[in-house]
PDB file of all heavy atoms in Angstrom:
ATOM      1  N   MET Y  67      -4.786  -3.620   2.808  1.00 98.00           N
ATOM      2  CA  MET Y  67      -4.204  -2.360   3.273  1.00 98.00           C
ATOM      3  C   MET Y  67      -4.839  -1.910   4.588  1.00 98.00           C
ATOM      4  O   MET Y  67      -4.133  -1.477   5.508  1.00 98.00           O
ATOM      5  CB  MET Y  67      -4.370  -1.263   2.227  1.00 98.00           C
ATOM      6  CG  MET Y  67      -3.410  -1.314   1.093  1.00 98.00           C
ATOM      7  SD  MET Y  67      -3.637   0.171   0.051  1.00 98.00           S
ATOM      8  CE  MET Y  67      -2.241   0.012  -1.036  1.00 98.00           C
ATOM      9  N   LEU Y  68      -6.164  -1.997   4.675  1.00 98.00           N
ATOM     10  CA  LEU Y  68      -6.853  -1.574   5.903  1.00 98.00           C
ATOM     11  C   LEU Y  68      -6.493  -2.471   7.083  1.00 98.00           C
ATOM     12  O   LEU Y  68      -6.288  -1.976   8.203  1.00 98.00           O
ATOM     13  CB  LEU Y  68      -8.362  -1.558   5.696  1.00 98.00           C
ATOM     14  CG  LEU Y  68      -8.889  -0.333   4.967  1.00 98.00           C
ATOM     15  CD1 LEU Y  68     -10.336  -0.543   4.547  1.00 98.00           C
ATOM     16  CD2 LEU Y  68      -8.758   0.907   5.823  1.00 98.00           C
ATOM     17  N   ALA Y  70      -3.674  -4.079   7.442  1.00 98.00           N
ATOM     18  CA  ALA Y  70      -2.294  -3.729   7.790  1.00 98.00           C
ATOM     19  C   ALA Y  70      -2.247  -2.403   8.548  1.00 98.00           C
ATOM     20  O   ALA Y  70      -1.526  -2.277   9.550  1.00 98.00           O
ATOM     21  CB  ALA Y  70      -1.431  -3.652   6.531  1.00 98.00           C
ATOM     22  N   ALA Y  71      -3.000  -1.406   8.091  1.00 98.00           N
ATOM     23  CA  ALA Y  71      -3.006  -0.105   8.768  1.00 98.00           C
ATOM     24  C   ALA Y  71      -3.524  -0.220  10.192  1.00 98.00           C
ATOM     25  O   ALA Y  71      -2.993   0.393  11.117  1.00 98.00           O
ATOM     26  CB  ALA Y  71      -3.837   0.905   7.978  1.00 98.00           C
ATOM     27  N   THR Y  72      -4.561  -1.026  10.383  1.00 98.00           N
ATOM     28  CA  THR Y  72      -5.122  -1.236  11.723  1.00 98.00           C
ATOM     29  C   THR Y  72      -4.092  -1.899  12.636  1.00 98.00           C
ATOM     30  O   THR Y  72      -3.897  -1.487  13.781  1.00 98.00           O
ATOM     31  CB  THR Y  72      -6.404  -2.084  11.630  1.00 98.00           C
ATOM     32  OG1 THR Y  72      -7.348  -1.382  10.806  1.00 98.00           O
ATOM     33  CG2 THR Y  72      -7.008  -2.335  12.991  1.00 98.00           C
ATOM     34  N   ARG Y  73      -3.432  -2.921  12.105  1.00 98.00           N
ATOM     35  CA  ARG Y  73      -2.396  -3.621  12.888  1.00 98.00           C
ATOM     36  C   ARG Y  73      -1.226  -2.695  13.212  1.00 98.00           C
ATOM     37  O   ARG Y  73      -0.746  -2.663  14.349  1.00 98.00           O
ATOM     38  CB  ARG Y  73      -1.925  -4.834  12.091  1.00 98.00           C
ATOM     39  CG  ARG Y  73      -0.865  -5.639  12.773  1.00 98.00           C
ATOM     40  CD  ARG Y  73      -0.550  -6.867  11.980  1.00 98.00           C
ATOM     41  NE  ARG Y  73       0.597  -7.553  12.512  1.00 98.00           N
ATOM     42  CZ  ARG Y  73       1.063  -8.678  12.033  1.00 98.00           C
ATOM     43  NH1 ARG Y  73       0.472  -9.259  11.008  1.00 98.00           N
ATOM     44  NH2 ARG Y  73       2.118  -9.244  12.570  1.00 98.00           N
ATOM     45  N   LEU Y  74      -0.748  -1.961  12.211  1.00 98.00           N
ATOM     46  CA  LEU Y  74       0.375  -1.048  12.428  1.00 98.00           C
ATOM     47  C   LEU Y  74       0.018   0.052  13.417  1.00 98.00           C
ATOM     48  O   LEU Y  74       0.854   0.459  14.240  1.00 98.00           O
ATOM     49  CB  LEU Y  74       0.841  -0.447  11.091  1.00 98.00           C
ATOM     50  CG  LEU Y  74       1.550  -1.418  10.152  1.00 98.00           C
ATOM     51  CD1 LEU Y  74       1.686  -0.795   8.761  1.00 98.00           C
ATOM     52  CD2 LEU Y  74       2.916  -1.815  10.697  1.00 98.00           C
ATOM     53  N   ASN Y  75      -1.221   0.545  13.353  1.00 98.00           N
ATOM     54  CA  ASN Y  75      -1.657   1.576  14.296  1.00 98.00           C
ATOM     55  C   ASN Y  75      -1.599   1.048  15.726  1.00 98.00           C
ATOM     56  O   ASN Y  75      -1.102   1.730  16.626  1.00 98.00           O
ATOM     57  CB  ASN Y  75      -3.070   2.045  13.960  1.00 98.00           C
ATOM     58  CG  ASN Y  75      -3.656   2.939  15.025  1.00 98.00           C
ATOM     59  OD1 ASN Y  75      -4.261   2.448  15.985  1.00 98.00           O
ATOM     60  ND2 ASN Y  75      -3.463   4.233  14.883  1.00 98.00           N
ATOM     61  N   ALA Y  76      -2.087  -0.158  15.950  1.00 98.00           N
ATOM     62  CA  ALA Y  76      -2.061  -0.741  17.295  1.00 98.00           C
ATOM     63  C   ALA Y  76      -0.629  -0.897  17.788  1.00 98.00           C
ATOM     64  O   ALA Y  76      -0.308  -0.556  18.940  1.00 98.00           O
ATOM     65  CB  ALA Y  76      -2.777  -2.088  17.303  1.00 98.00           C
ATOM     66  N   ALA Y  78       1.981   0.788  16.723  1.00 98.00           N
ATOM     67  CA  ALA Y  78       2.570   2.125  16.856  1.00 98.00           C
ATOM     68  C   ALA Y  78       2.106   2.823  18.130  1.00 98.00           C
ATOM     69  O   ALA Y  78       2.866   3.566  18.754  1.00 98.00           O
ATOM     70  CB  ALA Y  78       2.237   2.974  15.625  1.00 98.00           C
ATOM     71  N   ARG Y  79       0.869   2.584  18.540  1.00 97.00           N
ATOM     72  CA  ARG Y  79       0.399   3.171  19.797  1.00 97.00           C
ATOM     73  C   ARG Y  79       1.105   2.541  20.996  1.00 97.00           C
ATOM     74  O   ARG Y  79       1.310   3.194  22.011  1.00 97.00           O
ATOM     75  CB  ARG Y  79      -1.123   3.050  19.924  1.00 97.00           C
ATOM     76  CG  ARG Y  79      -1.858   4.057  19.047  1.00 97.00           C
ATOM     77  CD  ARG Y  79      -3.371   4.044  19.242  1.00 97.00           C
ATOM     78  NE  ARG Y  79      -3.968   2.863  18.620  1.00 97.00           N
ATOM     79  CZ  ARG Y  79      -4.531   1.855  19.280  1.00 97.00           C
ATOM     80  NH1 ARG Y  79      -4.585   1.863  20.595  1.00 97.00           N
ATOM     81  NH2 ARG Y  79      -5.059   0.830  18.637  1.00 97.00           N
ATOM     82  N   ASN Y  87       5.338   2.474  13.607  1.00 98.00           N
ATOM     83  CA  ASN Y  87       4.872   3.849  13.448  1.00 98.00           C
ATOM     84  C   ASN Y  87       5.363   4.424  12.115  1.00 98.00           C
ATOM     85  O   ASN Y  87       4.594   5.025  11.347  1.00 98.00           O
ATOM     86  CB  ASN Y  87       5.389   4.669  14.610  1.00 98.00           C
ATOM     87  CG  ASN Y  87       4.666   5.973  14.853  1.00 98.00           C
ATOM     88  OD1 ASN Y  87       4.910   6.603  15.868  1.00 98.00           O
ATOM     89  ND2 ASN Y  87       3.801   6.406  13.985  1.00 98.00           N
ATOM     90  N   LEU Y  90       3.621   2.637   9.201  1.00 98.00           N
ATOM     91  CA  LEU Y  90       2.248   3.127   9.066  1.00 98.00           C
ATOM     92  C   LEU Y  90       2.215   4.386   8.212  1.00 98.00           C
ATOM     93  O   LEU Y  90       1.409   4.505   7.283  1.00 98.00           O
ATOM     94  CB  LEU Y  90       1.661   3.400  10.451  1.00 98.00           C
ATOM     95  CG  LEU Y  90       0.230   3.924  10.506  1.00 98.00           C
ATOM     96  CD1 LEU Y  90      -0.749   2.924   9.907  1.00 98.00           C
ATOM     97  CD2 LEU Y  90      -0.143   4.234  11.950  1.00 98.00           C
ATOM     98  N   GLY Y  91       3.085   5.324   8.500  1.00 98.00           N
ATOM     99  CA  GLY Y  91       3.157   6.539   7.687  1.00 98.00           C
ATOM    100  C   GLY Y  91       3.547   6.241   6.253  1.00 98.00           C
ATOM    101  O   GLY Y  91       2.981   6.804   5.302  1.00 98.00           O
ATOM    102  N   LEU Y  93       3.009   3.472   4.567  1.00 98.00           N
ATOM    103  CA  LEU Y  93       1.852   2.869   3.906  1.00 98.00           C
ATOM    104  C   LEU Y  93       0.874   3.941   3.430  1.00 98.00           C
ATOM    105  O   LEU Y  93       0.428   3.928   2.280  1.00 98.00           O
ATOM    106  CB  LEU Y  93       1.149   1.887   4.857  1.00 98.00           C
ATOM    107  CG  LEU Y  93      -0.203   1.338   4.416  1.00 98.00           C
ATOM    108  CD1 LEU Y  93      -0.109   0.587   3.100  1.00 98.00           C
ATOM    109  CD2 LEU Y  93      -0.787   0.447   5.505  1.00 98.00           C
ATOM    110  N   LEU Y  94       0.571   4.891   4.302  1.00 98.00           N
ATOM    111  CA  LEU Y  94      -0.392   5.935   3.932  1.00 98.00           C
ATOM    112  C   LEU Y  94       0.151   6.862   2.859  1.00 98.00           C
ATOM    113  O   LEU Y  94      -0.576   7.241   1.935  1.00 98.00           O
ATOM    114  CB  LEU Y  94      -0.802   6.733   5.168  1.00 98.00           C
ATOM    115  CG  LEU Y  94      -2.011   6.214   5.920  1.00 98.00           C
ATOM    116  CD1 LEU Y  94      -3.294   6.447   5.185  1.00 98.00           C
ATOM    117  CD2 LEU Y  94      -1.886   4.799   6.344  1.00 98.00           C
ATOM    118  N   GLY Y  95       1.411   7.232   2.964  1.00 98.00           N
ATOM    119  CA  GLY Y  95       2.014   8.095   1.949  1.00 98.00           C
ATOM    120  C   GLY Y  95       2.063   7.422   0.584  1.00 98.00           C
ATOM    121  O   GLY Y  95       1.766   8.040  -0.440  1.00 98.00           O
ATOM    122  N   VAL Y 112      -8.322   5.677   0.559  1.00 97.00           N
ATOM    123  CA  VAL Y 112      -7.341   6.547   1.220  1.00 97.00           C
ATOM    124  C   VAL Y 112      -7.958   7.201   2.455  1.00 97.00           C
ATOM    125  O   VAL Y 112      -7.314   7.302   3.504  1.00 97.00           O
ATOM    126  CB  VAL Y 112      -6.786   7.602   0.228  1.00 97.00           C
ATOM    127  CG1 VAL Y 112      -5.936   8.638   0.948  1.00 97.00           C
ATOM    128  CG2 VAL Y 112      -5.973   6.911  -0.868  1.00 97.00           C
ATOM    129  N   ARG Y 113      -9.211   7.598   2.367  1.00 97.00           N
ATOM    130  CA  ARG Y 113      -9.886   8.186   3.524  1.00 97.00           C
ATOM    131  C   ARG Y 113      -9.978   7.176   4.666  1.00 97.00           C
ATOM    132  O   ARG Y 113      -9.699   7.488   5.818  1.00 97.00           O
ATOM    133  CB  ARG Y 113     -11.287   8.679   3.139  1.00 97.00           C
ATOM    134  CG  ARG Y 113     -11.983   9.454   4.256  1.00 97.00           C
ATOM    135  CD  ARG Y 113     -13.460   9.684   3.976  1.00 97.00           C
ATOM    136  NE  ARG Y 113     -14.245   8.474   3.975  1.00 97.00           N
ATOM    137  CZ  ARG Y 113     -14.567   7.761   5.072  1.00 97.00           C
ATOM    138  NH1 ARG Y 113     -14.160   8.157   6.248  1.00 97.00           N
ATOM    139  NH2 ARG Y 113     -15.307   6.681   4.977  1.00 97.00           N
ATOM    140  N   ARG Y 114     -10.351   5.949   4.342  1.00 97.00           N
ATOM    141  CA  ARG Y 114     -10.453   4.912   5.379  1.00 97.00           C
ATOM    142  C   ARG Y 114      -9.091   4.556   5.965  1.00 97.00           C
ATOM    143  O   ARG Y 114      -8.968   4.289   7.160  1.00 97.00           O
ATOM    144  CB  ARG Y 114     -11.122   3.667   4.811  1.00 97.00           C
ATOM    145  CG  ARG Y 114     -12.592   3.866   4.559  1.00 97.00           C
ATOM    146  CD  ARG Y 114     -13.224   2.640   3.969  1.00 97.00           C
ATOM    147  NE  ARG Y 114     -14.621   2.886   3.664  1.00 97.00           N
ATOM    148  CZ  ARG Y 114     -15.535   1.960   3.633  1.00 97.00           C
ATOM    149  NH1 ARG Y 114     -15.207   0.699   3.879  1.00 97.00           N
ATOM    150  NH2 ARG Y 114     -16.769   2.261   3.341  1.00 97.00           N
ATOM    151  N   LEU Y 115      -8.083   4.528   5.118  1.00 98.00           N
ATOM    152  CA  LEU Y 115      -6.726   4.264   5.614  1.00 98.00           C
ATOM    153  C   LEU Y 115      -6.284   5.352   6.587  1.00 98.00           C
ATOM    154  O   LEU Y 115      -5.681   5.063   7.626  1.00 98.00           O
ATOM    155  CB  LEU Y 115      -5.735   4.176   4.444  1.00 98.00           C
ATOM    156  CG  LEU Y 115      -5.777   2.915   3.604  1.00 98.00           C
ATOM    157  CD1 LEU Y 115      -4.929   3.094   2.351  1.00 98.00           C
ATOM    158  CD2 LEU Y 115      -5.319   1.711   4.405  1.00 98.00           C
ATOM    159  N   ALA Y 116      -6.573   6.599   6.250  1.00 97.00           N
ATOM    160  CA  ALA Y 116      -6.201   7.707   7.133  1.00 97.00           C
ATOM    161  C   ALA Y 116      -6.910   7.592   8.477  1.00 97.00           C
ATOM    162  O   ALA Y 116      -6.301   7.822   9.532  1.00 97.00           O
ATOM    163  CB  ALA Y 116      -6.514   9.044   6.470  1.00 97.00           C
ATOM    164  N   ALA Y 117      -8.170   7.209   8.463  1.00 97.00           N
ATOM    165  CA  ALA Y 117      -8.912   7.036   9.716  1.00 97.00           C
ATOM    166  C   ALA Y 117      -8.308   5.909  10.546  1.00 97.00           C
ATOM    167  O   ALA Y 117      -8.156   6.034  11.768  1.00 97.00           O
ATOM    168  CB  ALA Y 117     -10.386   6.771   9.430  1.00 97.00           C
ATOM    169  N   ALA Y 118      -7.957   4.803   9.912  1.00 97.00           N
ATOM    170  CA  ALA Y 118      -7.350   3.672  10.632  1.00 97.00           C
ATOM    171  C   ALA Y 118      -5.978   4.042  11.181  1.00 97.00           C
ATOM    172  O   ALA Y 118      -5.614   3.656  12.292  1.00 97.00           O
ATOM    173  CB  ALA Y 118      -7.240   2.458   9.716  1.00 97.00           C
ATOM    174  N   ALA Y 119      -5.226   4.798  10.406  1.00 97.00           N
ATOM    175  CA  ALA Y 119      -3.873   5.179  10.822  1.00 97.00           C
ATOM    176  C   ALA Y 119      -3.871   6.134  12.007  1.00 97.00           C
ATOM    177  O   ALA Y 119      -2.991   6.074  12.866  1.00 97.00           O
ATOM    178  CB  ALA Y 119      -3.126   5.816   9.648  1.00 97.00           C
ATOM    179  N   ARG Y 120      -4.837   7.013  12.070  1.00 95.00           N
ATOM    180  CA  ARG Y 120      -4.875   8.030  13.128  1.00 95.00           C
ATOM    181  C   ARG Y 120      -5.814   7.646  14.269  1.00 95.00           C
ATOM    182  O   ARG Y 120      -6.085   8.451  15.147  1.00 95.00           O
ATOM    183  CB  ARG Y 120      -5.319   9.374  12.543  1.00 95.00           C
ATOM    184  CG  ARG Y 120      -4.493   9.884  11.363  1.00 95.00           C
ATOM    185  CD  ARG Y 120      -3.055  10.235  11.647  1.00 95.00           C
ATOM    186  NE  ARG Y 120      -2.820  11.430  12.389  1.00 95.00           N
ATOM    187  CZ  ARG Y 120      -2.828  12.661  11.913  1.00 95.00           C
ATOM    188  NH1 ARG Y 120      -3.094  12.881  10.653  1.00 95.00           N
ATOM    189  NH2 ARG Y 120      -2.575  13.674  12.690  1.00 95.00           N
ATOM    190  N   TYR Y 121      -6.281   6.390  14.283  1.00 97.00           N
ATOM    191  CA  TYR Y 121      -7.194   5.941  15.333  1.00 97.00           C
ATOM    192  C   TYR Y 121      -6.519   6.027  16.696  1.00 97.00           C
ATOM    193  O   TYR Y 121      -5.351   5.708  16.874  1.00 97.00           O
ATOM    194  CB  TYR Y 121      -7.620   4.491  15.080  1.00 97.00           C
ATOM    195  CG  TYR Y 121      -8.382   3.906  16.246  1.00 97.00           C
ATOM    196  CD1 TYR Y 121      -9.711   4.243  16.461  1.00 97.00           C
ATOM    197  CD2 TYR Y 121      -7.763   3.052  17.149  1.00 97.00           C
ATOM    198  CE1 TYR Y 121     -10.409   3.732  17.544  1.00 97.00           C
ATOM    199  CE2 TYR Y 121      -8.455   2.531  18.236  1.00 97.00           C
ATOM    200  CZ  TYR Y 121      -9.769   2.877  18.429  1.00 97.00           C
ATOM    201  OH  TYR Y 121     -10.452   2.378  19.503  1.00 97.00           O
ATOM    202  N   SER Y 122      -7.315   6.476  17.670  1.00 96.00           N
ATOM    203  CA  SER Y 122      -6.881   6.513  19.058  1.00 96.00           C
ATOM    204  C   SER Y 122      -8.099   6.206  19.925  1.00 96.00           C
ATOM    205  O   SER Y 122      -9.142   6.842  19.760  1.00 96.00           O
ATOM    206  CB  SER Y 122      -6.318   7.894  19.408  1.00 96.00           C
ATOM    207  OG  SER Y 122      -5.940   7.940  20.757  1.00 96.00           O
ATOM    208  N   LEU Y 128      -2.971  11.613  19.947  1.00 96.00           N
ATOM    209  CA  LEU Y 128      -1.798  10.757  19.772  1.00 96.00           C
ATOM    210  C   LEU Y 128      -0.559  11.524  20.218  1.00 96.00           C
ATOM    211  O   LEU Y 128      -0.479  12.749  20.051  1.00 96.00           O
ATOM    212  CB  LEU Y 128      -1.673  10.333  18.309  1.00 96.00           C
ATOM    213  CG  LEU Y 128      -2.792   9.425  17.800  1.00 96.00           C
ATOM    214  CD1 LEU Y 128      -2.794   9.378  16.278  1.00 96.00           C
ATOM    215  CD2 LEU Y 128      -2.648   8.036  18.395  1.00 96.00           C
ATOM    216  N   PHE Y 132       4.555   9.996  18.016  1.00 98.00           N
ATOM    217  CA  PHE Y 132       3.767   9.198  17.075  1.00 98.00           C
ATOM    218  C   PHE Y 132       3.529  10.012  15.810  1.00 98.00           C
ATOM    219  O   PHE Y 132       3.769   9.538  14.691  1.00 98.00           O
ATOM    220  CB  PHE Y 132       2.432   8.794  17.713  1.00 98.00           C
ATOM    221  CG  PHE Y 132       1.531   7.976  16.811  1.00 98.00           C
ATOM    222  CD1 PHE Y 132       1.403   6.613  17.002  1.00 98.00           C
ATOM    223  CD2 PHE Y 132       0.793   8.576  15.791  1.00 98.00           C
ATOM    224  CE1 PHE Y 132       0.558   5.857  16.190  1.00 98.00           C
ATOM    225  CE2 PHE Y 132      -0.039   7.828  14.972  1.00 98.00           C
ATOM    226  CZ  PHE Y 132      -0.158   6.466  15.169  1.00 98.00           C
ATOM    227  N   LEU Y 133       3.037  11.234  15.984  1.00 97.00           N
ATOM    228  CA  LEU Y 133       2.701  12.084  14.838  1.00 97.00           C
ATOM    229  C   LEU Y 133       3.934  12.441  14.015  1.00 97.00           C
ATOM    230  O   LEU Y 133       3.888  12.444  12.775  1.00 97.00           O
ATOM    231  CB  LEU Y 133       1.978  13.341  15.312  1.00 97.00           C
ATOM    232  CG  LEU Y 133       0.619  13.082  15.984  1.00 97.00           C
ATOM    233  CD1 LEU Y 133       0.073  14.377  16.568  1.00 97.00           C
ATOM    234  CD2 LEU Y 133      -0.368  12.445  15.024  1.00 97.00           C
ATOM    235  N   TYR Y 136       5.109   9.239  12.189  1.00 98.00           N
ATOM    236  CA  TYR Y 136       4.123   8.985  11.133  1.00 98.00           C
ATOM    237  C   TYR Y 136       4.373   9.925   9.955  1.00 98.00           C
ATOM    238  O   TYR Y 136       4.378   9.509   8.801  1.00 98.00           O
ATOM    239  CB  TYR Y 136       2.712   9.172  11.697  1.00 98.00           C
ATOM    240  CG  TYR Y 136       1.621   9.128  10.666  1.00 98.00           C
ATOM    241  CD1 TYR Y 136       1.091   7.918  10.238  1.00 98.00           C
ATOM    242  CD2 TYR Y 136       1.120  10.304  10.105  1.00 98.00           C
ATOM    243  CE1 TYR Y 136       0.088   7.877   9.286  1.00 98.00           C
ATOM    244  CE2 TYR Y 136       0.126  10.268   9.157  1.00 98.00           C
ATOM    245  CZ  TYR Y 136      -0.389   9.059   8.746  1.00 98.00           C
ATOM    246  OH  TYR Y 136      -1.372   9.025   7.797  1.00 98.00           O
ATOM    247  N   PHE Y 140       5.166   9.045   6.159  1.00 98.00           N
ATOM    248  CA  PHE Y 140       4.225   9.513   5.154  1.00 98.00           C
ATOM    249  C   PHE Y 140       4.971  10.247   4.031  1.00 98.00           C
ATOM    250  O   PHE Y 140       4.764   9.978   2.851  1.00 98.00           O
ATOM    251  CB  PHE Y 140       3.169  10.432   5.779  1.00 98.00           C
ATOM    252  CG  PHE Y 140       2.133  10.898   4.805  1.00 98.00           C
ATOM    253  CD1 PHE Y 140       0.995  10.139   4.587  1.00 98.00           C
ATOM    254  CD2 PHE Y 140       2.281  12.084   4.106  1.00 98.00           C
ATOM    255  CE1 PHE Y 140       0.021  10.556   3.681  1.00 98.00           C
ATOM    256  CE2 PHE Y 140       1.320  12.513   3.209  1.00 98.00           C
ATOM    257  CZ  PHE Y 140       0.190  11.746   2.986  1.00 98.00           C
TER     258      PHE Y 140
END
Side-chain angles (χ1 to χ4, degrees):
M67 282 186 171
L68 280 168
T72 300
R73 180 175 172 178
L74 289 168
N75 171 273
R79 284 185 286 112
N87 199 171
L90 180 62
L93 170 59
L94 270 288
V112 171
R113 187 192 67 72
R114 289 179 183 207
L115 285 170
R120 305 295 287 280
Y121 171 77
S122 178
L128 294 164
F132 179 104
L133 296 173
Y136 172 84
F140 183 88

